[in-house]
């Protein structure tokens, strides 16, 4: 099923993101995670795509196929374009099609620092346009409530977002954020620039100190003082820290639900405990919204 059709049918869409195991690990390590996540029957599960090339990228296809064909849950395969040629992308599209995958998250990927760009694409919108010319996948795209780090400012970033929609992206997922006010301001801007596709909020429960510091650096997202207080207090008790992170994310999600968000995409970090607990905290509200 196309993900845009799920948005058409449901008031609130809830999904998970997972990543393939490292190149050095066997694909088997993901089975346990998938078993546990699929029990929760999310609307779809997305699978990230390593920007660095190699066999890890094939795992995105393999895992997306398992999600769709073994567990009967819709899969969203991430695909980056910054280092790829049109022929390489064509081959990947063919392989995804053969596995029955209908949904792709069209991404640029991070620009490699030292490598000279050898690809045929500059932006996610170029990839979206090429996929639309080649085949009939339903396309998702990304957006950034605090602005993408390459952009001069958030307004400029949102203006650029329109290129993606015009190229055929039917729904958007946000970068993770920890202050809902950033999301609400972003939604106002999106409206101003006529971006009227469904937008899912990307939420990540942070559950340990190393993760918090890494995420802050990688995503560029602001981490509120409140989170650091929690971390400093509970960092030596793994379970307490995890539960505090889940409680923070739950509060964020319930506030978003109360203000009418189209959906939430949970960055699970392949951690079924976090996904299950967060899911259990909001399941009655999901049911209530989808009955409306
Ligand atoms: P783009 O949409 O191309 O935007 C990048 C910059 O270019 C922005 O500043 C934008 O304003 C500007 N821009 C966009 N279009 C145009 C245009 N047509 N003309 C001029 N300027 C333009 N990375 C991975 O490697 N693998 C993954 O699986 C992955 N999954 C992700 C999932 C989500 C939900 C998110 C939010 C990010 C993910 N990323 C992933 C990271 C992403 O690849 C990086 O953030 C990357 O730097 C930007 O990708 P993009 O598709 O958002 O780029």
């Amino acid at each position: 099923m196309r993900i845009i059709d799920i948005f058409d049918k449901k008031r609130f869409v809830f999904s998970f993101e997972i990543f393939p195991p490292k190149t050095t690990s066997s694909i088997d390590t993901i089975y346990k995670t998938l078993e546990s996540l699929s029990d929760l029957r999310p609307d779809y599960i997305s699978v990230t795509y390593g920007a660095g090339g190699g066999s890890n990228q094939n795992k995105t296809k393999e895992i997306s196929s398992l999600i769709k064909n073994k567990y009967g849950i819709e899969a969203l395969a991430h695909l980056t374009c910054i280092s790829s040629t049109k022929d390489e992308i064509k081959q990947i599209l063919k392989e995804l099609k053969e596995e029955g995958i209908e949904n792709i998250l069209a991404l640029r990927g991070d620009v490699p620092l030292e490598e000279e760009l050898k690809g045929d694409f500059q932006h996610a919108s170029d990839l979206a346009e090429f996929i639309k010319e080649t085949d009939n996948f339903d396309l998702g795209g990304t957006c950034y409530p605090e602005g993408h780090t390459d952009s001069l400012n958030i307004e400029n970033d949102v203006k650029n977002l329109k290129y993606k929609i015009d190229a055929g992206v039917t729904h958007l997922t946000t970068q993770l954020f920890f202050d809902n006010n950033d999301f609400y301001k972003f939604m106002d801007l999106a409206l101003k620039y006529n971006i009227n596709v469904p937008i899912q909020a990307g939420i990540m429960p942070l559950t340990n100190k190393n993760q918090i510091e890494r995420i802050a650096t990688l995503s560029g997202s602001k981490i509120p003082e409140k989170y650091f207080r929690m971390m400093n207090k509970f960092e030596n008790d793994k379970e307490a820290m995890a539960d505090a992170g889940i409680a923070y994310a739950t509060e964020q999600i319930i506030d978003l639900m109360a203000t009418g968000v189209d959906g939430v995409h949970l960055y699970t970090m392949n951690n079924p405990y976090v996904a299950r607990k967060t899911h259990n905290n909001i399941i009655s509200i999901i049911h209530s919204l989808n009955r409306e």
Side-chain angles (χ1 to χ4, degrees), residues 5 56 58-59 93 112 117 133 181 183 206 228 262:
D5 295 334
N56 215 28
N58 285 331
K59 285 184 184 159
L93 297 180
L117 292 182
E133 280 165 22
N181 288 324
F183 178 79
L206 294 180
F228 286 104
D262 295 312

Side-chain angles (χ1 to χ4, degrees), residues 17-18 46-52 60 78-81 105-111 122-126 141-144 147-153 156-161 163-164 173-176 202 218 265 267:
E17 177 174 301
I18 61 169
S46 86
V47 188
T48 65
Y49 185 82
T60 301
H78 294 206
L79 180 60
T80 64
C81 63
L105 186 70
L107 292 150
R108 183 190 73 176
D110 284 323
V111 179
Q122 274 202 310
H123 294 291
S125 54
D126 303 329
T142 52
C143 57
Y144 299 81
H148 188 276
T149 43
D150 289 359
S151 286
L152 291 176
N153 54 53
N156 203 268
D157 198 30
V158 176
K159 268 190 208 166
N160 290 336
L161 197 52
Y163 293 117
K164 253 186 251 200
T173 308
T174 76
Q175 176 64 289
L176 50 97
L218 281 180
H265 187 61
Y267 295 101

Side-chain angles (χ1 to χ4, degrees), residues 214-228:
R214 209 180 62 240
I215 293 300
T217 318
L218 281 180
S219 69
S221 306
K222 290 189 306 280
I223 309 226
E225 209 35 56
K226 205 169 156 184
Y227 238 121
F228 286 104

Side-chain angles (χ1 to χ4, degrees), residues 11-16 177-180 183-184 200-205 227 245-267 274-283 285-286 289:
R11 172 63 206 83
F12 179 84
V13 171
F14 188 59
S15 56
F16 295 141
F177 60 90
F178 301 96
D179 182 345
N180 287 357
F183 178 79
Y184 299 136
Q200 250 181 303
I203 299 292
M204 183 188 280
Y227 238 121
I246 292 165
Y248 187 99
T250 301
E251 195 183 316
Q252 256 192 297
I253 296 173
I254 293 173
D255 180 56
L256 290 162
M257 289 167 130
T259 49
V261 72
D262 295 312
V264 164
H265 187 61
L266 197 74
Y267 295 101
V274 169
R276 183 170 293 275
K277 275 208 125 178
T278 312
H279 176 267
N280 288 349
N281 287 344
I282 58 169
I283 187 64
I285 312 175
I286 296 182
L289 287 174

Side-chain angles (χ1 to χ4, degrees), residues 98-113:
E98 282 164 4
E99 298 297 331
I101 306 299
E102 294 176 73
N103 301 287
I104 294 177
L105 186 70
L107 292 150
R108 183 190 73 176
D110 284 323
V111 179
L113 283 181

Side-chain angles (χ1 to χ4, degrees), residues 6-292:
I6 305 180
F7 279 105
D8 282 346
K9 277 192 3 200
K10 286 193 162 178
R11 172 63 206 83
F12 179 84
V13 171
F14 188 59
S15 56
F16 295 141
E17 177 174 301
I18 61 169
F19 54 84
K22 289 199 184 86
T23 3
T24 46
S25 318
S26 147
I27 195 161
D28 296 351
T29 57
I30 202 73
Y31 289 146
K32 223 172 131 207
T33 307
L34 277 181
E35 285 287 341
S36 194
L37 293 183
S38 58
D39 263 6
L40 303 175
R41 307 311 297 168
D43 290 308
Y44 69 89
I45 300 179
S46 86
V47 188
T48 65
Y49 185 82
S55 63
N56 215 28
Q57 298 186 335
N58 285 331
K59 285 184 184 159
T60 301
K61 180 190 69 191
E62 269 179 81
I63 296 168
S64 301
S65 173
L66 273 176
I67 293 169
K68 167 111 186 164
N69 300 312
K70 179 167 182 210
Y71 296 102
I73 293 171
E74 216 36 72
L76 173 66
H78 294 206
L79 180 60
T80 64
C81 63
I82 193 67
S83 304
S84 301
T85 62
K86 287 186 173 175
D87 282 346
E88 286 165 344
I89 295 290
K90 243 188 194 160
Q91 178 60 27
I92 296 170
L93 297 180
K94 183 170 166 278
E95 291 172 12
L96 288 172
K97 201 76 194 195
E98 282 164 4
E99 298 297 331
I101 306 299
E102 294 176 73
N103 301 287
I104 294 177
L105 186 70
L107 292 150
R108 183 190 73 176
D110 284 323
V111 179
L113 283 181
E114 282 151 31
E115 206 181 300
E116 209 173 301
L117 292 182
K118 58 175 173 54
D120 288 336
F121 306 90
Q122 274 202 310
H123 294 291
S125 54
D126 303 329
L127 176 63
E129 205 173 289
F130 181 70
I131 297 176
K132 278 289 158 197
E133 280 165 22
T134 313
D135 216 319
N136 62 347
F137 289 94
D138 184 37
L139 299 182
T142 52
C143 57
Y144 299 81
E146 297 174 67
H148 188 276
T149 43
D150 289 359
S151 286
L152 291 176
N153 54 53
I154 177 125
E155 187 130 1
N156 203 268
D157 198 30
V158 176
K159 268 190 208 166
N160 290 336
L161 197 52
K162 190 75 172 79
Y163 293 117
K164 253 186 251 200
I165 311 300
D166 293 344
V169 162
T170 64
H171 58 98
L172 294 167
T173 308
T174 76
Q175 176 64 289
L176 50 97
F177 60 90
F178 301 96
D179 182 345
N180 287 357
N181 288 324
D182 290 325
F183 178 79
Y184 299 136
K185 282 187 222 150
F186 165 81
M187 291 300 281
D188 288 344
L189 268 182
L191 204 64
K192 176 173 164 191
Y193 288 101
N194 292 320
I195 302 201
N196 38 32
V197 299
I199 300 180
Q200 250 181 303
I203 299 292
M204 183 188 280
L206 294 180
T207 54
N208 69 63
K209 189 178 177 187
N210 291 343
Q211 191 190 30
I212 293 171
E213 285 164 352
R214 209 180 62 240
I215 293 300
T217 318
L218 281 180
S219 69
S221 306
K222 290 189 306 280
I223 309 226
E225 209 35 56
K226 205 169 156 184
Y227 238 121
F228 286 104
R229 270 201 301 279
M230 273 169 18
M231 181 177 78
N232 292 335
K233 185 76 181 168
F234 307 122
E235 64 174 304
N236 295 324
D237 185 330
K238 226 171 131 190
E239 200 178 337
M241 183 62 228
D243 283 352
I246 292 165
Y248 187 99
T250 301
E251 195 183 316
Q252 256 192 297
I253 296 173
I254 293 173
D255 180 56
L256 290 162
M257 289 167 130
T259 49
V261 72
D262 295 312
V264 164
H265 187 61
L266 197 74
Y267 295 101
T268 70
M269 300 303 283
N270 293 5
N271 184 332
Y273 174 81
V274 169
R276 183 170 293 275
K277 275 208 125 178
T278 312
H279 176 267
N280 288 349
N281 287 344
I282 58 169
I283 187 64
S284 63
I285 312 175
I286 296 182
H287 287 154
S288 166
L289 287 174
N290 284 334
R291 268 197 305 270
E292 270 177 12

